[in-house]
């Protein structure tokens, strides 16, 4: 046992001396060596069931042969290219494919970058230029990236230290469990937060006639896996239409099948003027996209990255879409998400720490509270729980504005047996944390977020 621990520990100590803290959010001492399907293997050969999907990236599971083959063939054919100056056909194929997937009866185009951040940065630049309106509205708790433009759109504590973005007004996200206006339910609510948006944001600080777009996640992920009430997005669309404001969805984490529909916003039946995609789009390689109205993407300026849309990530992206379609992963996300949600709800009924369980397909959140009546957040228990899961062979992280929501975003290839395996470990880890006696000294080196 002692030898097993040393290998990972040694690698982590070397990393600690060499790798900047500003790119780390760490929850436990894990050093990855390889990955296959739903499993990650650490530096000591120990296997873990990965319920993070690397932050909602590994849609087709790790090392899917079709994605791997597409990557290898693309490397052999042309290992790089600068799309901004030299056309290559695979980028056109992927652009056509994404435009065809996006609902809406209007002319569309696609743009390519490398990360979710740069896609949202592109939006932040283009929306005011395309509309002649200077301001944007987004939501408290939204995470849109760490470049200046995408951080300005964000309302998450991770970007709280960033200065700028005075032209972006942040409004409350509808959170049925922590509704400011209450009572609020998942099926429908009073829409008091939209009244706030219209009256105070668009009526005063961000005048409607000077507001280009409202940018939103259809399920708020890093903000705590919050699923808005069913009547919210249709009402938001109606409000946008009334004021001539575009409605733009950040689908970087919840798009490409994760919620049980290809785009997360589709469940609500509304149409998006544009979406951003990233994370799973490149099958694990850096690729992002903005897909939306032609007049947004043909604005007379530049928003480009030398490696945006280069051949290898694009080939991986086309293969990823093929696998999602051929293996019915959108339907699997819906079915496995339901199984996971029901299992978690049953566990919650036997637990004193779980205040809420929620999700849409394979993005789920388990919110931990110190008291189920006052709903006081329990972030330390969330950290203990993900650490205990790690000790028992499951990778998970926590999220949310209070740092108390266990986030589950596994690969969409997860099977019923793997869901059940996870539920068994989760119930045991939760019971261990609830029993008390967890050694908090183990958490000290891991600040999480
Ligand atoms: N948008 C959303 C909704 C995200 O969750 C994230 C990352 N967590 C981003 C954008 C930024 O993506 P990236 O880290 O690839 O820049």
């Amino acid at each position: 046992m002692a030898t097993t621990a040393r290998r990972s520990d040694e690698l982590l100590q070397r990393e600690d001396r060499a790798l900047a803290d500003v790119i780390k959010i760490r929850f436990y001492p894990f050093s990855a060596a390889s990955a296959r399907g739903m499993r990650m293997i650490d530096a000591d050969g120990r296997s873990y069931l990965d319920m993070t999907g690397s932050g909602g990236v590994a849609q087709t599971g790790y090392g899917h042969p079709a994605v791997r083959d597409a990557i290898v063939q693309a490397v052999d054919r042309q290992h790089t290219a600068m799309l901004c100056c030299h056309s290559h056909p695979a980028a056109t194929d992927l652009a056509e494919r994404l435009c065809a997937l996006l609902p809406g009866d209007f002319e569309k185009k696609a743009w390519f970058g490398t990360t979710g951040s740069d896609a949202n940065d592109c939006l932040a630049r283009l929306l005011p230029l395309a509309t002649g309106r200077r301001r944007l509205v987004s939501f408290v708790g939204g995470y849109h990236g760490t470049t200046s433009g995408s951080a300005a759109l964000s309302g998450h504590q991770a970007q709280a230290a960033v200065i700028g973005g005075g032209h972006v007004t942040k409004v409350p996200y509808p959170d049925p469990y922590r509704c400011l206006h209450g009572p609020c339910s998942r099926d429908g609510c009073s829409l008091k937060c939209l009244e706030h948006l219209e009256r105070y944001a668009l009526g005063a600080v961000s005048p409607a006639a000077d507001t280009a777009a409202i940018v939103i996640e259809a399920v708020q992920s890093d903000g705590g896996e919050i699923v808005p009430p069913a009547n919210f997005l249709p009402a938001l669309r109606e409000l946008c239409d009334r004021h001539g404001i575009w409605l733009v969805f950040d689908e970087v984490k919840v798009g490409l099948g994760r919620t049980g529909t290809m785009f997360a916003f589709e469940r609500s039946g509304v149409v998006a003027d544009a979406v951003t995609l990233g994370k799973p789009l490149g099958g694990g390689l850096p690729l992002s996209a903005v897909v939306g109205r032609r007049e947004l993407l043909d604005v007379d300026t530049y928003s480009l990255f030398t490696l945006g849309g280069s051949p290898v990530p694009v080939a991986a992206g086309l293969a990823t879409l093929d696998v999602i379609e051929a293996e019915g992963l959108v339907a699997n996300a819906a079915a496995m998400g339901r199984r996971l949600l029901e299992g978690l709800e049953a566990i919650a009924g036997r637990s004193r720490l779980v205040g809420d369980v929620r999700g849409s397909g394979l993005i789920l959140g388990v919110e931990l509270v110190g008291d189920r009546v006052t709903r006081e957040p329990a972030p330390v228990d969330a950290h203990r729980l993900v650490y205990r899961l790690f000790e028992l062979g499951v990778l998970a992280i926590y999220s949310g504005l209070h740092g108390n929501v266990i986030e589950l975003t596994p690969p969409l290839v997860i099977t019923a047996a793997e869901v059940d395996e996870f539920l068994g470990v989760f119930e045991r880890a939760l019971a261990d944390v609830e029993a008390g006696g967890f050694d908090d000294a183990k958490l000290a080196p891991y600040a999480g977020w």
Side-chain angles (χ1 to χ4, degrees):
M1 274 306 275
T3 325
T4 303
R6 261 203 325 266
R7 184 92 197 279
S8 291
D9 288 348
E10 187 192 310
L11 289 170
L12 289 165
Q13 279 161 18
R14 268 182 53 206
E15 189 211 53
D16 207 32
R17 289 191 290 275
L19 191 70
D21 283 358
V22 292
I23 66 163
K24 292 184 207 148
I25 306 171
R26 296 289 167 82
F27 304 89
Y28 32 70
F30 177 67
S31 179
S34 63
R36 262 303 161 272
M38 276 291 302
R39 316 259 166 191
M40 285 240 213
I41 317 297
D42 76 6
D44 303 290
R46 186 161 184 243
S47 173
Y48 297 80
L49 185 70
D50 178 28
M51 296 301 285
T52 73
S54 288
V57 165
Q59 232 71 338
T60 61
Y62 297 101
H64 192 292
V67 177
R68 180 216 171 261
D69 289 352
I71 291 171
V72 171
Q73 283 162 20
V75 170
D76 287 346
R77 201 166 44 240
Q78 181 179 13
H79 94 276
T80 194
M82 52 171 180
L83 183 61
C84 50
C85 299
H86 300 154
S87 162
H88 70 88
T92 308
D93 289 345
L94 186 59
E96 285 175 350
R97 198 124 163 220
L98 293 175
C99 289
L101 280 174
L102 186 71
D105 189 16
F106 47 84
E107 265 190 87
K108 295 163 207 151
K109 284 198 165 185
W111 168 102
F112 292 120
T114 59
T115 66
S117 299
D118 67 27
N120 284 316
D121 216 271
C122 173
L123 267 185
R125 283 164 73 83
L126 300 192
L127 284 166
L129 293 173
T131 58
R133 296 173 172 201
R134 294 171 300 177
R135 304 195 61 99
L136 297 164
V137 170
S138 62
F139 290 81
V140 175
Y143 185 111
H144 300 292
T146 52
T147 59
S148 301
S150 59
L153 281 175
S154 302
H156 193 275
Q157 69 268 33
Q159 291 93 347
V162 176
I163 308 296
H167 62 300
V168 186
T169 302
K170 311 286 161 43
V171 296
Y173 194 88
D175 178 352
Y177 187 63
R178 295 191 180 278
C179 180
L180 292 175
H181 304 285
C184 186
S185 85
R186 281 177 200 160
D187 300 331
C189 74
S190 63
L191 300 178
K192 280 272 195 305
C193 48
L194 279 188
E195 210 178 303
H196 173 106
L197 195 167
E198 192 157 26
R199 198 183 295 178
Y200 299 104
L202 302 180
V205 285
S206 183
D210 200 15
T211 298
I214 296 181
V215 179
I216 187 167
E217 296 163 83
V219 175
Q220 195 177 71
S221 36
D222 293 353
E225 329 314 318
I226 302 167
V227 184
N231 58 340
F232 178 76
L233 291 177
L236 181 64
R237 176 77 260 184
E238 187 276 323
L239 181 153
C240 285
D241 290 344
R242 209 155 9 89
H243 294 286
I245 294 172
W246 278 346
L247 180 57
V248 174
F249 287 92
D250 179 338
E251 293 267 335
V252 166
K253 191 156 170 182
V254 293
L256 300 190
R258 176 152 303 281
T259 62
T261 47
M262 187 55 89
F263 298 101
F265 71 83
E266 277 183 273
R267 182 174 299 274
S268 67
V270 306
V271 168
D273 294 293
V275 296
T276 50
L277 294 167
K279 290 195 186 254
L281 182 63
L285 302 186
L287 182 66
S288 63
V290 180
V291 190
R293 290 187 178 274
R294 185 192 54 72
E295 56 272 38
L296 171 67
L297 290 155
D298 280 347
V299 160
D300 187 15
T301 185
Y302 292 112
S303 183
L304 56 85
F305 296 90
T306 308
L307 288 174
S310 69
V312 180
V314 162
L318 285 163
T320 299
L321 289 179
D322 287 344
V323 171
I324 289 174
E325 284 170 17
E327 296 188 6
L329 295 187
V330 181
N332 194 57
M336 292 304 109
R338 248 189 325 274
R339 189 180 184 99
L340 204 43
L341 188 65
E342 284 167 13
L344 289 168
E345 279 168 351
I347 292 170
R350 301 188 284 271
S351 147
R352 75 175 161 76
L353 264 179
V354 177
D356 192 35
V357 174
R358 53 191 177 245
S360 181
L362 284 174
I363 179 158
L364 298 104
V366 181
E367 179 150 0
L368 303 190
V369 291
D371 179 318
R372 292 172 92 163
V373 177
T374 65
R375 302 187 175 184
E376 185 198 332
V380 178
D381 287 310
H383 200 168
R384 289 175 181 143
L385 182 53
V386 296
Y387 198 106
R388 186 69 191 128
L389 284 167
F390 163 74
E391 290 179 326
L392 295 175
V394 166
L395 298 178
I397 64 172
Y398 61 79
S399 71
L401 287 185
H402 307 287
N404 67 327
V405 182
I406 311 300
E407 173 182 284
L408 304 171
T409 53
L412 308 192
V413 293
I414 193 170
T415 63
E418 287 157 343
V419 167
D420 296 346
E421 176 188 341
F422 165 74
L423 290 169
V425 177
F426 186 82
E427 180 148 34
R428 181 171 158 207
L430 185 64
D432 289 348
V433 171
E434 289 186 350
F438 184 93
D439 177 9
D440 283 345
K442 289 191 280 195
L443 305 182
Y446 304 100
W449 65 337

